[in-house]
Amino acid sequence: MASNVEAPESWYLALLGFAEHFRTSSPPKIRLCVHCLQAVFQFKPPQRVEARTHLQLGSVLYHHTKNSELARSHLEKAWFISQQIPQFEDVKFEAASLLSELYCQQNLVDSAKPLLRKAIQISQQTPYWHCRLLFQLAQLHTLEKDLVSACDLLGVGAEYARVVGSEYTRALFLLSKGMLLLMERKLGEVHPLLTLCGTIVENWQGNPIQKESLRVFFLVLQVTHYLDAGQVKSVKPCLKQLQQCIQTISTLHDDEILPSNPADLFHWLPKEHMCVLVYLVTVMHSMQAGYLEKAQKYTDKALMQLEKLKMLDSSPILSTFQVILLEHIIMCRLVTGHKATALQEISQVCQLCQQSPRLFTNHAAQLHTLLGLYCISVNCMDNAEAQFTAALRVSDLTTHQELWAFIVTNLASVYIREGNRHQELYSLLERINPDHNFPVSSHCLRAAAFYIRGLLSFFQGRYNEAKRFLRETLKMSNAEDLNRLTACSLVLLGHIFYVLGNHRESNNMVVPAMQLASKIPDMSVQLWSSALLKDLNEALGNTIDAHEAAQMHQNFSQQLLQDHIAACSLPEHNLISWTDGPPPGQFQAQNGPTTSLASLL
């Protein structure tokens, strides 16, 4: 009699053991694993075993096969049966969590939301699952761009964590809410929230790695807030703290002791991901400030780390980090006169976006913007206009106001160079008027808007007006160490004084412009400055200095010409014609310049 009672359990344990053996084999034998788990149902198991087996089958099929319909069927059964069993929280809520994930993958978001709401409603006595499901539903709303609902849920989570005595998870909820408020540009709500977070983080006494990871999250928000505002000088103390914080984390050993409060069982990001993120914000800062060699150094480090991580980890956030890093280094390359490399990296971003529709949706505007900047660098102004127009068409103005202002500023510069688009140009300039209702809070973009006004006034021969705008740019760029804008403003002011015949004042502008452009290094400003220095020194009768400047100008011209021919000869150059739909996968070879580079040397 005893053996009959024990038999089903021993069969169950044996089948479970076989299933796990096949699942963890190298390579995994998923078909055999599924057979073993399906065999459990032959023994008419009790409800608890039946529900758990449906969950295990659903999980294996979801993670290891493409049979999402069968996975969904098993997960739905696990969720349905487990709701009828008391004290069966882990199976019940894991089934709900996994099933809603699968619904989202199948674009059944309207099925995922009520499921998660029901699970949240019945999980209030299970702190870990209640918090996890709140995070999951908030993330779902965020992906749908419903940031208001996501913020509300994170607020509910923060209050729940406070009630169950988890200050650590309360801080995670509040910092996540702060991140969304920053995305919504609700700066009035962000400041008190970050102040509260700072106090909670400093007062919390717990696992050192968890504490430092909260500090990294907090500081990343502060740094990105400053960078969004174009304040690259003001951000330096925060950025330094962040870099010290990540060094501290890298010296700490992961503590295997589990927190006593189940609500504390969360990590914001793995340590290795945090390292890449800190490299990333450092690159963003270096690029904005015009330290392009430093940006290159940190990009190389970050990309090397990412390649190692992607061999072991398929987390989609790593591809996002990679795309953002490439976007920044592409802009650096265009400034430093490495257009061919920039173009190949734009192609790399296209390939990453082809692998992930969501990544493409989130970065399509940036991709067209980068192509627009490349088109300007190779003097294809019609294509530049088409790319910036495409970028404006696909950009989300609610969450990307700074990107919108950046695109409009660059499109205005294209219209100025074309010289015959007055109506379109004035329409754009009205929308980015730095003197009146500037649309974004970015210090850097407002300074750039003054520069664009100065450039237009220069081309129209209104030199006094141009000087006023450029002095405003200089004042703003000096206040926040915006080196590129400073160099561009100085050289344009130098050009104006040269045209007006004030050679001494022109020299006072062009010499520091050249020094700063060499430090960045900005190839276009160096080319422009060297041409002006040649003309200035000739006018002043400084023959030796004029000859030296002419030689420099010749060298820069040669470098830029070689790079121009190399870029235009690449098959990827055809990307400049792509303005709609997903990025093209293949590129036809160019019928471009056939001049041998050797003949130019």
Side-chain angles (χ1 to χ4, degrees):
M1 186 72 187
S3 64
N4 285 345
V5 171
E6 288 164 13
E9 194 168 307
S10 56
W11 275 110
Y12 173 58
L13 292 174
L15 285 167
L16 210 56
F18 277 128
E20 186 60 8
H21 166 73
F22 291 130
R23 188 183 73 83
T24 55
S25 295
S26 184
K29 297 172 182 173
I30 297 302
R31 194 165 59 84
L32 294 173
C33 169
V34 168
H35 280 320
C36 291
L37 290 171
Q38 284 173 329
V40 170
F41 299 126
Q42 302 298 318
F43 294 91
K44 305 280 188 291
Q47 266 196 322
R48 294 174 89 86
V49 171
E50 186 185 358
R52 189 180 293 280
T53 306
H54 278 304
L55 172 61
Q56 288 162 329
L57 271 165
S59 179
V60 167
L61 289 163
Y62 175 62
H63 289 118
H64 298 281
T65 75
K66 291 181 179 175
N67 196 340
S68 52
E69 285 303 318
L70 191 56
R72 177 176 148 190
S73 168
H74 282 294
L75 290 171
E76 284 173 341
K77 285 173 186 168
W79 167 236
F80 176 74
I81 297 166
S82 62
Q83 286 178 80
Q84 301 160 32
I85 305 169
Q87 273 84 51
F88 208 40
E89 274 67 19
D90 273 4
V91 168
K92 188 190 309 180
F93 299 128
E94 191 173 337
S97 175
L98 209 50
L99 182 55
S100 66
E101 214 177 286
L102 192 150
Y103 281 151
C104 290
Q105 200 181 67
Q106 295 183 320
N107 292 321
L108 299 169
V109 176
D110 290 337
S111 300
K113 284 184 201 166
L115 168 63
L116 283 171
R117 284 192 204 104
K118 172 81 184 288
I120 287 166
Q121 188 187 341
I122 61 176
S123 64
Q124 291 188 31
Q125 303 309 311
T126 317
Y128 166 73
W129 277 109
H130 191 65
C131 291
R132 181 168 157 178
L133 293 162
L134 280 166
F135 274 126
Q136 192 170 347
L137 185 54
Q139 185 179 23
L140 177 50
H141 282 301
T142 304
L143 291 172
E144 285 207 301
K145 305 281 197 296
D146 180 4
L147 301 187
V148 173
S149 300
C151 280
D152 288 346
L153 282 163
L154 293 169
V156 168
E159 180 55 24
Y160 176 82
R162 187 190 65 77
V163 169
V164 298
S166 172
E167 286 296 283
Y168 167 74
T169 301
R170 181 188 176 203
L172 274 182
F173 274 114
L174 289 172
L175 287 165
S176 301
K177 184 177 178 180
M179 180 171 68
L180 298 190
L181 289 171
L182 278 174
M183 286 167 66
E184 284 191 286
R185 303 293 178 263
K186 291 187 175 173
L187 303 184
E189 292 178 52
V190 168
H191 295 141
L193 186 71
L194 285 183
T195 304
L196 172 62
C197 288
T199 307
I200 295 171
V201 171
E202 289 314 311
N203 292 341
W204 186 69
Q205 300 301 318
N207 179 317
I209 282 194
Q210 283 184 308
K211 184 179 175 79
E212 288 303 311
S213 75
L214 284 180
R215 290 190 73 221
V216 170
F217 194 172
F218 172 68
L219 288 166
V220 162
L221 291 187
Q222 286 205 306
V223 168
T224 49
H225 178 34
Y226 276 119
L227 291 178
D228 266 356
Q231 295 174 323
V232 299
K233 186 177 183 180
S234 309
V235 76
K236 283 181 181 177
C238 274
L239 185 59
K240 195 168 184 183
Q241 269 184 285
L242 177 59
Q243 289 162 343
Q244 287 166 344
C245 197
I246 202 71
Q247 283 179 331
T248 305
I249 283 190
S250 58
T251 61
L252 293 170
H253 294 290
D254 288 320
D255 207 340
E256 291 301 317
I257 302 165
L258 288 176
S260 53
N261 189 337
D264 283 349
L265 284 165
F266 294 95
H267 278 292
W268 173 51
L269 277 178
K271 192 161 64 172
E272 298 78 13
H273 292 200
M274 280 190 263
C275 287
V276 174
L277 182 57
V278 174
Y279 281 141
L280 175 54
V281 294
T282 305
V283 168
M284 290 164 74
H285 174 260
S286 301
M287 195 211 72
Q288 276 200 35
Y291 306 131
L292 302 193
E293 284 174 349
K294 187 177 176 187
Q296 174 68 64
K297 184 179 89 172
Y298 281 107
T299 300
D300 290 344
K301 284 186 176 184
L303 289 174
M304 205 181 300
Q305 181 101 343
L306 274 170
E307 286 307 316
K308 287 180 194 168
L309 289 173
K310 286 180 88 172
M311 288 176 193
L312 309 166
D313 185 346
S314 59
S315 172
I317 199 169
L318 295 179
S319 293
T320 302
F321 285 165
Q322 193 175 356
V323 165
I324 297 171
L325 275 164
L326 286 167
E327 285 169 356
H328 282 80
I329 203 59
I330 287 161
M331 288 189 276
C332 291
R333 300 233 199 260
L334 292 173
V335 173
T336 57
H338 297 95
K339 296 185 278 286
T341 311
L343 187 56
Q344 287 165 326
E345 285 164 341
I346 290 173
S347 169
Q348 209 179 326
V349 175
C350 287
Q351 287 160 19
L352 286 164
C353 286
Q354 279 175 332
Q355 293 160 22
S356 163
R358 180 173 291 152
L359 204 55
F360 176 63
T361 302
N362 291 337
H363 291 267
Q366 289 92 321
L367 200 42
H368 285 297
T369 304
L370 291 170
L371 280 166
L373 295 173
Y374 167 75
C375 290
I376 290 176
S377 77
V378 291
N379 209 28
C380 297
M381 292 302 165
D382 287 348
N383 296 96
E385 181 186 344
Q387 289 298 338
F388 290 134
T389 306
L392 288 173
R393 190 178 66 245
V394 298
S395 65
D396 180 357
L397 295 190
T398 53
T399 53
H400 284 114
Q401 290 169 308
E402 279 80 9
L403 177 62
W404 173 86
F406 181 77
I407 297 165
V408 168
T409 304
N410 281 286
L411 183 54
S413 81
V414 171
Y415 288 152
I416 290 169
R417 288 169 209 225
E418 287 183 320
N420 57 356
R421 307 296 296 278
H422 305 300
Q423 195 174 343
E424 295 97 327
L425 175 60
Y426 287 119
S427 167
L428 283 185
L429 291 178
E430 271 307 302
R431 300 167 80 183
I432 51 163
N433 185 346
D435 284 319
H436 180 68
N437 288 340
F438 193 65
V440 292
S441 59
S442 170
H443 182 93
C444 179
L445 285 168
R446 186 161 170 259
F450 275 118
Y451 177 78
I452 286 293
R453 295 262 166 169
L455 189 66
L456 176 62
S457 301
F458 166 72
F459 276 114
Q460 293 174 333
R462 300 205 304 268
Y463 298 127
N464 285 334
E465 187 180 86
K467 284 191 280 185
R468 180 183 85 75
F469 287 129
L470 293 170
R471 283 179 177 136
E472 203 61 48
T473 304
L474 270 180
K475 187 170 78 180
M476 292 185 75
S477 54
N478 282 333
E480 284 293 344
D481 289 351
L482 304 169
N483 288 335
R484 276 206 71 219
L485 268 174
T486 301
C488 290
S489 305
L490 284 171
V491 74
L492 185 48
L493 274 167
H495 203 132
I496 290 168
F497 284 119
Y498 176 75
V499 171
L500 292 171
N502 189 342
H503 295 161
R504 188 177 299 281
E505 196 61 37
S506 176
N507 199 59
N508 290 344
M509 299 290 159
V510 180
V511 170
M514 185 61 157
Q515 289 166 344
L516 197 49
S518 306
K519 183 177 141 194
I520 292 171
D522 185 324
M523 190 64 90
S524 298
V525 175
Q526 284 177 295
L527 185 73
W528 189 358
S529 300
S530 57
L532 268 172
L533 281 173
K534 177 180 80 71
D535 294 344
L536 267 172
N537 283 304
E538 281 174 356
L540 293 167
N542 301 333
T543 314
I544 296 171
D545 291 342
H547 178 73
E548 191 183 313
Q551 192 57 54
M552 280 165 53
H553 186 262
Q554 176 69 10
N555 292 344
F556 293 135
S557 298
Q558 285 290 350
Q559 286 177 50
L560 282 166
L561 181 60
Q562 288 168 30
D563 184 49
H564 182 102
I565 292 170
C568 294
S569 302
L570 288 170
E572 290 87 350
H573 183 75
N574 284 310
L575 272 170
I576 68 172
S577 306
W578 162 66
T579 54
D580 202 18
Q586 297 297 316
F587 309 104
Q588 298 302 311
Q590 273 296 104
N591 299 320
T594 53
T595 317
S596 150
L597 291 187
S599 69
L600 292 166
L601 294 171

